[in-house]
Amino acid sequence: MGATMWAGVVALGGAGAVARVTLDGWIARVHRGVTPLGIFVVNMVGSFVLGLITGHGTTTDARLLIGTGFLGGFTTFSTWVVDSRRLVDANLRREALLNILFALLAGLLVATIGWAIGAWLESHDLVGERAL
């Protein structure tokens, strides 16, 4: 991987992190519940998009830039785990368990849906390889 690709991954990773903080913050202002809905939404969007580009069979460069770069900065496993731990610490064990189980199952589901859509788009040549 050349210097230009590294720079692209780094720049898009930073952009993904800014997008995560922005979306999570907006959802936190709108949703005042105890569950960490913002991080859940971020991770579901990221799972869907990564499934989409993987199912589409995009080029290695595109997967590096979008998947590793942008989505690597956008999605967050560690925040999801810490948020779940905070629910436990707040004696909200049921909510913590639901947060863990629902995020895993929903993440698998949306990634699978994204993958299927990506594969369908590729098989129907609706999105050219150069577009992704």
Side-chain angles (χ1 to χ4, degrees):
M1 185 164 64
T4 303
M5 184 59 69
W6 274 107
V9 169
V10 168
L12 287 172
V18 169
R20 171 179 24 99
V21 169
T22 303
L23 180 58
D24 181 43
W26 179 79
I27 291 172
R29 284 189 300 278
V30 173
H31 173 71
R32 301 263 186 219
V34 296
T35 57
L37 183 62
I39 294 302
F40 174 79
V41 170
V42 162
N43 286 336
M44 294 309 107
V45 169
S47 294
F48 174 80
V49 173
L50 189 57
L52 182 72
I53 65 170
T54 304
H56 183 268
T58 58
T59 65
T60 301
D61 287 351
R63 283 193 310 274
L64 277 170
L65 291 169
I66 299 167
T68 303
F70 185 82
L71 294 174
F74 183 67
T75 60
T76 174
F77 178 80
S78 56
T79 303
W80 168 62
V81 171
V82 169
D83 283 347
S84 297
R85 177 61 203 201
R86 285 184 180 149
L87 290 171
V88 170
D89 289 347
N91 206 28
L92 298 168
R93 288 178 174 79
R94 181 168 100 37
E95 288 83 353
L97 182 62
L98 288 173
N99 186 53
I100 292 166
L101 293 176
F102 188 63
L104 284 173
L105 295 174
L108 284 170
L109 177 64
V110 298
T112 301
I113 291 169
W115 192 305
I117 291 171
W120 184 84
L121 289 171
E122 173 143 357
S123 70
H124 289 81
D125 201 26
L126 295 175
V127 178
E129 185 174 88
R130 282 180 255 160
L132 295 177

Short mmCIF file of all heavy atoms in Angstrom, two decimals, residues 29-79:
data_model
loop_
_atom_site.label_atom_id
_atom_site.label_comp_id
_atom_site.label_asym_id
_atom_site.label_seq_id
_atom_site.Cartn_x
_atom_site.Cartn_y
_atom_site.Cartn_z
N ARG A 29 -29.11 14.15 21.75
CA ARG A 29 -29.93 15.33 22.04
C ARG A 29 -31.41 15.06 21.79
O ARG A 29 -32.27 15.61 22.49
CB ARG A 29 -29.46 16.52 21.21
CG ARG A 29 -28.18 17.16 21.71
CD ARG A 29 -27.85 18.45 21.01
NE ARG A 29 -27.67 18.33 19.57
CZ ARG A 29 -26.57 17.93 18.96
NH1 ARG A 29 -25.52 17.59 19.67
NH2 ARG A 29 -26.50 17.88 17.66
N VAL A 30 -31.70 14.24 20.80
CA VAL A 30 -33.10 13.95 20.44
C VAL A 30 -33.68 12.85 21.32
O VAL A 30 -34.83 12.92 21.76
CB VAL A 30 -33.19 13.56 18.94
CG1 VAL A 30 -34.58 13.08 18.58
CG2 VAL A 30 -32.77 14.73 18.06
N HIS A 31 -32.89 11.84 21.59
CA HIS A 31 -33.33 10.66 22.37
C HIS A 31 -32.77 10.77 23.78
O HIS A 31 -31.58 10.69 23.98
CB HIS A 31 -32.83 9.38 21.69
CG HIS A 31 -33.07 8.14 22.49
ND1 HIS A 31 -34.32 7.61 22.67
CD2 HIS A 31 -32.23 7.34 23.18
CE1 HIS A 31 -34.24 6.52 23.42
NE2 HIS A 31 -32.97 6.34 23.75
N ARG A 32 -33.63 10.92 24.74
CA ARG A 32 -33.18 11.12 26.12
C ARG A 32 -33.30 9.85 26.97
O ARG A 32 -33.32 9.93 28.17
CB ARG A 32 -34.01 12.23 26.78
CG ARG A 32 -33.90 13.55 26.07
CD ARG A 32 -32.89 14.40 26.74
NE ARG A 32 -32.90 15.72 26.13
CZ ARG A 32 -31.82 16.40 25.93
NH1 ARG A 32 -30.66 15.93 26.25
NH2 ARG A 32 -31.89 17.60 25.37
N GLY A 33 -33.34 8.68 26.35
CA GLY A 33 -33.48 7.43 27.10
C GLY A 33 -32.17 6.99 27.74
O GLY A 33 -31.12 7.61 27.55
N VAL A 34 -32.22 5.89 28.50
CA VAL A 34 -31.03 5.38 29.18
C VAL A 34 -30.16 4.55 28.25
O VAL A 34 -28.98 4.39 28.50
CB VAL A 34 -31.39 4.53 30.43
CG1 VAL A 34 -32.08 5.39 31.47
CG2 VAL A 34 -32.23 3.33 30.05
N THR A 35 -30.73 4.03 27.19
CA THR A 35 -29.95 3.19 26.28
C THR A 35 -29.13 4.05 25.32
O THR A 35 -29.56 5.11 24.90
CB THR A 35 -30.86 2.24 25.47
OG1 THR A 35 -31.82 3.02 24.76
CG2 THR A 35 -31.57 1.26 26.37
N PRO A 36 -27.94 3.58 24.96
CA PRO A 36 -27.05 4.32 24.05
C PRO A 36 -27.48 4.16 22.59
O PRO A 36 -26.83 3.47 21.81
CB PRO A 36 -25.68 3.71 24.33
CG PRO A 36 -25.97 2.33 24.83
CD PRO A 36 -27.29 2.40 25.52
N LEU A 37 -28.56 4.80 22.23
CA LEU A 37 -29.14 4.64 20.89
C LEU A 37 -28.22 5.16 19.80
O LEU A 37 -28.15 4.58 18.71
CB LEU A 37 -30.51 5.34 20.82
CG LEU A 37 -31.27 5.19 19.52
CD1 LEU A 37 -31.59 3.73 19.25
CD2 LEU A 37 -32.53 6.02 19.55
N GLY A 38 -27.51 6.24 20.05
CA GLY A 38 -26.65 6.83 19.03
C GLY A 38 -25.58 5.87 18.54
O GLY A 38 -25.38 5.70 17.33
N ILE A 39 -24.88 5.24 19.46
CA ILE A 39 -23.83 4.28 19.08
C ILE A 39 -24.44 3.07 18.40
O ILE A 39 -23.87 2.53 17.45
CB ILE A 39 -22.98 3.88 20.31
CG1 ILE A 39 -22.21 5.09 20.83
CG2 ILE A 39 -22.06 2.71 20.00
CD1 ILE A 39 -21.28 5.74 19.81
N PHE A 40 -25.63 2.66 18.84
CA PHE A 40 -26.32 1.56 18.16
C PHE A 40 -26.58 1.92 16.70
O PHE A 40 -26.28 1.14 15.79
CB PHE A 40 -27.64 1.24 18.88
CG PHE A 40 -28.46 0.23 18.17
CD1 PHE A 40 -28.17 -1.12 18.27
CD2 PHE A 40 -29.53 0.61 17.37
CE1 PHE A 40 -28.92 -2.07 17.60
CE2 PHE A 40 -30.29 -0.33 16.70
CZ PHE A 40 -29.98 -1.67 16.80
N VAL A 41 -27.13 3.10 16.45
CA VAL A 41 -27.42 3.53 15.07
C VAL A 41 -26.14 3.62 14.25
O VAL A 41 -26.09 3.14 13.11
CB VAL A 41 -28.19 4.88 15.06
CG1 VAL A 41 -28.28 5.45 13.66
CG2 VAL A 41 -29.57 4.70 15.67
N VAL A 42 -25.11 4.22 14.82
CA VAL A 42 -23.82 4.32 14.13
C VAL A 42 -23.33 2.94 13.70
O VAL A 42 -22.95 2.72 12.54
CB VAL A 42 -22.78 5.02 15.03
CG1 VAL A 42 -21.37 4.76 14.56
CG2 VAL A 42 -23.06 6.52 15.11
N ASN A 43 -23.33 2.00 14.63
CA ASN A 43 -22.82 0.67 14.32
C ASN A 43 -23.70 -0.08 13.32
O ASN A 43 -23.19 -0.86 12.51
CB ASN A 43 -22.62 -0.13 15.60
CG ASN A 43 -21.41 0.33 16.38
OD1 ASN A 43 -20.49 0.91 15.84
ND2 ASN A 43 -21.43 0.09 17.68
N MET A 44 -25.00 0.17 13.34
CA MET A 44 -25.88 -0.49 12.36
C MET A 44 -25.66 0.09 10.97
O MET A 44 -25.59 -0.65 9.98
CB MET A 44 -27.36 -0.34 12.77
CG MET A 44 -27.73 -1.07 14.05
SD MET A 44 -27.24 -2.80 14.12
CE MET A 44 -25.89 -2.73 15.27
N VAL A 45 -25.51 1.39 10.87
CA VAL A 45 -25.22 2.01 9.57
C VAL A 45 -23.90 1.48 9.04
O VAL A 45 -23.78 1.10 7.86
CB VAL A 45 -25.20 3.56 9.68
CG1 VAL A 45 -24.63 4.20 8.42
CG2 VAL A 45 -26.59 4.09 9.98
N GLY A 46 -22.89 1.45 9.89
CA GLY A 46 -21.58 0.94 9.48
C GLY A 46 -21.62 -0.51 9.05
O GLY A 46 -21.00 -0.90 8.06
N SER A 47 -22.37 -1.34 9.78
CA SER A 47 -22.49 -2.76 9.43
C SER A 47 -23.18 -2.93 8.08
O SER A 47 -22.76 -3.75 7.26
CB SER A 47 -23.28 -3.50 10.51
OG SER A 47 -22.58 -3.52 11.72
N PHE A 48 -24.22 -2.13 7.85
CA PHE A 48 -24.93 -2.21 6.58
C PHE A 48 -24.01 -1.81 5.41
O PHE A 48 -23.93 -2.52 4.41
CB PHE A 48 -26.17 -1.32 6.59
CG PHE A 48 -26.86 -1.26 5.26
CD1 PHE A 48 -27.70 -2.28 4.87
CD2 PHE A 48 -26.65 -0.20 4.40
CE1 PHE A 48 -28.33 -2.25 3.62
CE2 PHE A 48 -27.26 -0.15 3.16
CZ PHE A 48 -28.11 -1.19 2.78
N VAL A 49 -23.33 -0.69 5.56
CA VAL A 49 -22.48 -0.18 4.46
C VAL A 49 -21.32 -1.14 4.20
O VAL A 49 -20.99 -1.43 3.05
CB VAL A 49 -21.99 1.25 4.75
CG1 VAL A 49 -20.98 1.70 3.70
CG2 VAL A 49 -23.17 2.21 4.81
N LEU A 50 -20.70 -1.66 5.26
CA LEU A 50 -19.61 -2.61 5.06
C LEU A 50 -20.12 -3.88 4.38
O LEU A 50 -19.47 -4.43 3.49
CB LEU A 50 -18.92 -2.94 6.38
CG LEU A 50 -17.64 -3.76 6.26
CD1 LEU A 50 -16.61 -3.08 5.36
CD2 LEU A 50 -17.05 -4.02 7.64
N GLY A 51 -21.30 -4.35 4.78
CA GLY A 51 -21.91 -5.49 4.09
C GLY A 51 -22.17 -5.18 2.63
O GLY A 51 -21.92 -6.01 1.75
N LEU A 52 -22.66 -3.98 2.36
CA LEU A 52 -22.96 -3.56 0.99
C LEU A 52 -21.72 -3.57 0.11
O LEU A 52 -21.72 -4.16 -0.98
CB LEU A 52 -23.58 -2.16 1.01
CG LEU A 52 -24.02 -1.57 -0.31
CD1 LEU A 52 -25.26 -2.28 -0.83
CD2 LEU A 52 -24.30 -0.08 -0.15
N ILE A 53 -20.64 -2.95 0.57
CA ILE A 53 -19.44 -2.89 -0.28
C ILE A 53 -18.75 -4.24 -0.39
O ILE A 53 -18.14 -4.54 -1.41
CB ILE A 53 -18.46 -1.78 0.16
CG1 ILE A 53 -17.86 -2.07 1.52
CG2 ILE A 53 -19.10 -0.42 0.10
CD1 ILE A 53 -16.72 -1.15 1.91
N THR A 54 -18.87 -5.06 0.64
CA THR A 54 -18.29 -6.40 0.57
C THR A 54 -19.09 -7.29 -0.36
O THR A 54 -18.53 -8.01 -1.19
CB THR A 54 -18.20 -7.01 1.98
OG1 THR A 54 -17.45 -6.13 2.82
CG2 THR A 54 -17.52 -8.37 1.96
N GLY A 55 -20.41 -7.24 -0.24
CA GLY A 55 -21.28 -8.03 -1.11
C GLY A 55 -21.16 -7.62 -2.56
O GLY A 55 -21.30 -8.43 -3.47
N HIS A 56 -20.89 -6.34 -2.78
CA HIS A 56 -20.76 -5.84 -4.14
C HIS A 56 -19.45 -6.30 -4.78
O HIS A 56 -19.33 -6.35 -6.00
CB HIS A 56 -20.84 -4.31 -4.16
CG HIS A 56 -20.78 -3.74 -5.54
ND1 HIS A 56 -19.59 -3.36 -6.12
CD2 HIS A 56 -21.74 -3.50 -6.46
CE1 HIS A 56 -19.84 -2.91 -7.35
NE2 HIS A 56 -21.13 -2.98 -7.56
N GLY A 57 -18.50 -6.66 -3.97
CA GLY A 57 -17.22 -7.09 -4.52
C GLY A 57 -16.40 -5.92 -5.02
O GLY A 57 -15.76 -5.98 -6.07
N THR A 58 -16.41 -4.83 -4.26
CA THR A 58 -15.67 -3.64 -4.67
C THR A 58 -14.17 -3.92 -4.71
O THR A 58 -13.69 -4.92 -4.19
CB THR A 58 -15.92 -2.48 -3.69
OG1 THR A 58 -15.53 -2.90 -2.38
CG2 THR A 58 -17.37 -2.07 -3.67
N THR A 59 -13.45 -3.03 -5.31
CA THR A 59 -12.00 -3.19 -5.43
C THR A 59 -11.35 -3.15 -4.05
O THR A 59 -11.91 -2.61 -3.09
CB THR A 59 -11.40 -2.08 -6.29
OG1 THR A 59 -11.59 -0.83 -5.62
CG2 THR A 59 -12.02 -2.04 -7.67
N THR A 60 -10.15 -3.69 -3.97
CA THR A 60 -9.40 -3.68 -2.72
C THR A 60 -9.17 -2.26 -2.25
O THR A 60 -9.31 -1.97 -1.05
CB THR A 60 -8.06 -4.41 -2.91
OG1 THR A 60 -8.32 -5.75 -3.33
CG2 THR A 60 -7.25 -4.44 -1.63
N ASP A 61 -8.85 -1.36 -3.15
CA ASP A 61 -8.62 0.04 -2.77
C ASP A 61 -9.87 0.66 -2.17
O ASP A 61 -9.80 1.37 -1.16
CB ASP A 61 -8.15 0.86 -3.97
CG ASP A 61 -6.72 0.55 -4.37
OD1 ASP A 61 -6.03 -0.19 -3.62
OD2 ASP A 61 -6.29 1.03 -5.43
N ALA A 62 -11.02 0.42 -2.79
CA ALA A 62 -12.27 0.98 -2.27
C ALA A 62 -12.60 0.41 -0.90
O ALA A 62 -13.04 1.14 -0.01
CB ALA A 62 -13.41 0.71 -3.25
N ARG A 63 -12.38 -0.89 -0.72
CA ARG A 63 -12.64 -1.50 0.59
C ARG A 63 -11.70 -0.93 1.65
O ARG A 63 -12.11 -0.71 2.79
CB ARG A 63 -12.53 -3.01 0.53
CG ARG A 63 -13.74 -3.68 -0.10
CD ARG A 63 -13.79 -5.18 0.12
NE ARG A 63 -12.55 -5.87 -0.21
CZ ARG A 63 -12.22 -6.31 -1.42
NH1 ARG A 63 -13.06 -6.13 -2.43
NH2 ARG A 63 -11.09 -6.93 -1.63
N LEU A 64 -10.46 -0.68 1.29
CA LEU A 64 -9.53 -0.06 2.23
C LEU A 64 -9.97 1.35 2.61
O LEU A 64 -9.99 1.72 3.79
CB LEU A 64 -8.11 -0.02 1.65
CG LEU A 64 -7.29 -1.28 1.78
CD1 LEU A 64 -6.01 -1.16 0.95
CD2 LEU A 64 -6.94 -1.55 3.23
N LEU A 65 -10.31 2.14 1.61
CA LEU A 65 -10.69 3.52 1.86
C LEU A 65 -12.01 3.63 2.61
O LEU A 65 -12.11 4.35 3.61
CB LEU A 65 -10.75 4.30 0.55
CG LEU A 65 -9.42 4.55 -0.14
CD1 LEU A 65 -9.63 5.08 -1.55
CD2 LEU A 65 -8.56 5.50 0.68
N ILE A 66 -13.03 2.92 2.13
CA ILE A 66 -14.35 3.01 2.74
C ILE A 66 -14.44 2.15 4.00
O ILE A 66 -14.84 2.63 5.07
CB ILE A 66 -15.45 2.61 1.75
CG1 ILE A 66 -15.44 3.53 0.54
CG2 ILE A 66 -16.82 2.64 2.42
CD1 ILE A 66 -16.27 3.04 -0.63
N GLY A 67 -14.07 0.87 3.87
CA GLY A 67 -14.22 -0.06 4.99
C GLY A 67 -13.26 0.19 6.13
O GLY A 67 -13.66 0.41 7.27
N THR A 68 -11.97 0.19 5.82
CA THR A 68 -10.97 0.38 6.86
C THR A 68 -10.89 1.84 7.27
O THR A 68 -10.84 2.15 8.47
CB THR A 68 -9.59 -0.11 6.38
OG1 THR A 68 -9.70 -1.48 6.00
CG2 THR A 68 -8.54 0.04 7.46
N GLY A 69 -10.89 2.74 6.31
CA GLY A 69 -10.76 4.16 6.59
C GLY A 69 -12.01 4.74 7.23
O GLY A 69 -12.09 4.88 8.45
N PHE A 70 -13.00 5.07 6.41
CA PHE A 70 -14.18 5.77 6.91
C PHE A 70 -14.94 4.96 7.95
O PHE A 70 -15.22 5.43 9.05
CB PHE A 70 -15.11 6.18 5.77
CG PHE A 70 -16.27 7.00 6.25
CD1 PHE A 70 -16.10 8.35 6.47
CD2 PHE A 70 -17.49 6.42 6.53
CE1 PHE A 70 -17.16 9.13 6.95
CE2 PHE A 70 -18.55 7.18 7.01
CZ PHE A 70 -18.39 8.54 7.22
N LEU A 71 -15.30 3.72 7.61
CA LEU A 71 -16.11 2.93 8.53
C LEU A 71 -15.34 2.51 9.77
O LEU A 71 -15.92 2.35 10.85
CB LEU A 71 -16.70 1.71 7.82
CG LEU A 71 -17.72 2.04 6.72
CD1 LEU A 71 -18.13 0.78 5.99
CD2 LEU A 71 -18.92 2.78 7.29
N GLY A 72 -14.01 2.34 9.63
CA GLY A 72 -13.19 2.04 10.80
C GLY A 72 -13.21 3.17 11.81
O GLY A 72 -13.20 2.95 13.02
N GLY A 73 -13.25 4.40 11.33
CA GLY A 73 -13.36 5.55 12.22
C GLY A 73 -14.79 5.81 12.67
O GLY A 73 -15.02 6.35 13.74
N PHE A 74 -15.74 5.42 11.84
CA PHE A 74 -17.16 5.69 12.13
C PHE A 74 -17.72 4.74 13.17
O PHE A 74 -18.33 5.17 14.15
CB PHE A 74 -17.95 5.59 10.81
CG PHE A 74 -19.41 5.90 10.93
CD1 PHE A 74 -19.84 7.19 11.23
CD2 PHE A 74 -20.36 4.92 10.71
CE1 PHE A 74 -21.19 7.49 11.32
CE2 PHE A 74 -21.71 5.21 10.79
CZ PHE A 74 -22.13 6.50 11.10
N THR A 75 -17.52 3.46 12.98
CA THR A 75 -18.09 2.48 13.91
C THR A 75 -17.21 2.35 15.14
O THR A 75 -16.05 2.73 15.14
CB THR A 75 -18.25 1.10 13.25
OG1 THR A 75 -16.96 0.65 12.82
CG2 THR A 75 -19.20 1.15 12.08
N THR A 76 -17.78 1.81 16.21
CA THR A 76 -17.02 1.71 17.45
C THR A 76 -17.46 0.53 18.29
O THR A 76 -18.56 0.53 18.82
CB THR A 76 -17.07 3.02 18.25
OG1 THR A 76 -16.41 2.81 19.50
CG2 THR A 76 -18.48 3.50 18.49
N PHE A 77 -16.61 -0.45 18.37
CA PHE A 77 -16.85 -1.59 19.25
C PHE A 77 -16.63 -1.19 20.70
O PHE A 77 -17.43 -1.52 21.58
CB PHE A 77 -15.91 -2.74 18.86
CG PHE A 77 -16.04 -3.95 19.74
CD1 PHE A 77 -17.06 -4.86 19.55
CD2 PHE A 77 -15.13 -4.18 20.76
CE1 PHE A 77 -17.18 -5.97 20.36
CE2 PHE A 77 -15.23 -5.29 21.58
CZ PHE A 77 -16.26 -6.19 21.38
N SER A 78 -15.56 -0.47 20.96
CA SER A 78 -15.18 -0.15 22.34
C SER A 78 -16.24 0.72 23.03
O SER A 78 -16.56 0.48 24.20
CB SER A 78 -13.82 0.54 22.37
OG SER A 78 -13.82 1.68 21.56
N THR A 79 -16.79 1.69 22.34
CA THR A 79 -17.82 2.53 22.96
C THR A 79 -19.07 1.72 23.26
O THR A 79 -19.69 1.88 24.31
CB THR A 79 -18.16 3.74 22.06
OG1 THR A 79 -16.97 4.47 21.82
CG2 THR A 79 -19.19 4.64 22.70
#
